[in-house]
């Protein structure tokens, strides 16, 4: 072999190797396990849809309505469900970059999110509520929040509503990564209200001796759906098939009832 040829063979081999190394490092958990695992991204701070528990959890340490739905989807595809628990704010990016196969997180379909991910058929209708102290009389409707101290969870639809629609001044908004933390601040009087999804808000209010106030005129209906990477129609169709079956058989309603009466931490 002449010198030049030898050099190009070595370089070629090095290039192939570095591509292989890069591919190894760069492949996401979803891609590495694509064959037998279905990777669900969620934020397990959202009872009764997803939460962690030591009391007989459904998958790993996780339980909830979304976990039950996702488990069904995985089983239907002959796959094992793996759960990645992360901050809600990064979920859309995790789906669109393929870090997870799907986000099942009580996620409301919004035009903004639809630009980055595809959504399944919807499976639950919610709205926002205001969680306040039991003796609070100054907050009866959403517009009362404008001069109050309000907590929201970062990146939730509640954050957008308080910030953009109700125009609560920035200085009066506290953003947290967990609804549980700001609910504590309503309890100890640091915040006047937390704006959060209805099912979760009611459950947290009940658990913490607070009250959840609705305002259907200000807070629109929100539809939850499962997000997948844009163009992943194969998974989307499988998800929609399972959702359809679960809706028709009444299973989703049963799950909502089951987790409503369950003590969810
Ligand atoms: N439904 C709300 C949203 O999509 C909150 C979801 C969640 O906390 N998991 O922003």
């Amino acid at each position: 072999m002449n010198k030049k040829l030898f050099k190009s063979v070595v370089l070629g081999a090095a290039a192939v190797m570095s591509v292989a190394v890069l591919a190894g490092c760069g492949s996401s958990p979803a891609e590495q396990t694509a064959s037998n695992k279905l990777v669900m991204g969620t934020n397990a701070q959202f009872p009764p849809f997803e939460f962690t528990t030591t009391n007989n959890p459904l998958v790993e340490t996780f339980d909830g309505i979304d976990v039950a739905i996702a488990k069904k989807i995985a089983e239907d595809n002959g796959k094992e469900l793996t759960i990645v628990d992360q901050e809600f704010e990064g979920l859309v990016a995790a789906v669109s970059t393929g870090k997870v196969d799907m986000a099942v997180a009580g996620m409301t379909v919004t035009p903004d999110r639809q630009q980055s991910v595809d959504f399944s058929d919807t499976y639950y209708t919610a709205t926002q509520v205001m969680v306040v102290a039991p003796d609070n009389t100054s907050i009866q409707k959403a517009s009362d929040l404008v001069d109050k101290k309000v907590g929201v969870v970062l990146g939730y639809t509640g954050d957008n509503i308080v910030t953009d629609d109700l125009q609560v001044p920035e200085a009066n908004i506290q953003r947290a990564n967990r609804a549980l933390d700001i609910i504590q601040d309503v309890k100890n009087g640091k915040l006047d209200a937390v704006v959060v999804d209805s099912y979760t808000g009611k459950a947290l209010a009940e658990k913490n001796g607070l009250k959840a106030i609705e305002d259907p005129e200000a807070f629109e209906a929100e539809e939850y759906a499962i997000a997948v990477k844009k163009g992943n129609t194969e998974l989307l169709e499988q998800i929609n098939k399972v959702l359809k079956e679960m809706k028709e058989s009444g299973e989703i309603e049963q799950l909502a009832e089951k987790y409503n009466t369950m003590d969810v931490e």
Side-chain angles (χ1 to χ4, degrees), residues 48-49 65 121-127 198-199 222-225 247 252 256:
F49 290 91
I65 299 168
D121 294 339
T122 59
Y123 63 90
Y124 191 83
T125 306
T127 185
S198 43
Y199 202 159
E222 298 187 19
E223 298 288 346
Y224 292 175
K247 280 193 251 182
I252 296 211

Side-chain angles (χ1 to χ4, degrees), residues 136-194:
N136 183 313
T137 50
S138 64
I139 298 175
Q140 320 236 337
K141 27 186 208 342
S143 55
D144 294 331
L145 292 176
V146 80
D147 57 352
K148 306 290 189 306
K149 292 205 168 60
V150 187
V152 294
V153 187
L154 203 64
Y156 278 26
T157 38
D159 185 357
N160 302 339
I161 291 167
V162 167
T163 311
D164 303 333
D165 301 351
L166 300 175
Q167 304 241 320
V168 174
E170 269 307 301
N172 290 350
I173 303 177
Q174 188 186 323
R175 295 190 178 83
N177 275 317
R178 293 158 36 105
L180 298 175
D181 296 337
I182 36 178
I183 289 284
Q184 289 311 314
D185 285 345
V186 175
K187 249 177 137 171
N188 62 33
K190 279 193 206 150
L191 289 175
D192 298 308
V194 160

Side-chain angles (χ1 to χ4, degrees), residues 2-67:
N2 70 35
K3 245 187 179 172
K4 208 169 157 196
L5 182 62
F6 176 74
K7 207 172 157 195
S8 64
V9 167
V10 169
L11 281 176
V16 168
M17 270 163 67
S18 62
V19 166
V21 167
L22 278 175
C25 296
S27 69
S28 61
E31 280 157 4
Q32 279 167 10
T33 56
S35 53
N36 60 347
K37 296 219 162 115
L38 184 67
V39 183
M40 154 183 173
T42 197
N43 174 242
Q45 312 279 352
F46 196 63
F49 290 91
E50 39 267 332
F51 52 93
T52 51
T53 180
T54 48
N55 180 18
N56 200 17
L58 205 55
V59 178
E60 299 160 25
T61 54
F62 304 99
D63 208 343
I65 299 168
D66 282 340
V67 178

Side-chain angles (χ1 to χ4, degrees), residues 232-265:
N232 191 353
T233 46
E234 196 186 335
L235 180 57
L236 203 62
E237 277 165 21
Q238 288 165 345
I239 291 172
N240 284 340
K241 174 179 156 265
V242 173
L243 285 178
K244 187 162 180 269
E245 284 166 6
M246 290 183 87
K247 280 193 251 182
E248 282 174 1
S249 66
E251 225 173 315
I252 296 211
E253 242 168 78
Q254 283 163 17
L255 282 172
E257 275 165 34
K258 172 182 163 191
Y259 285 100
N260 193 19
T261 50
M262 210 170 112
D263 189 14
V264 290
E265 311 257 281

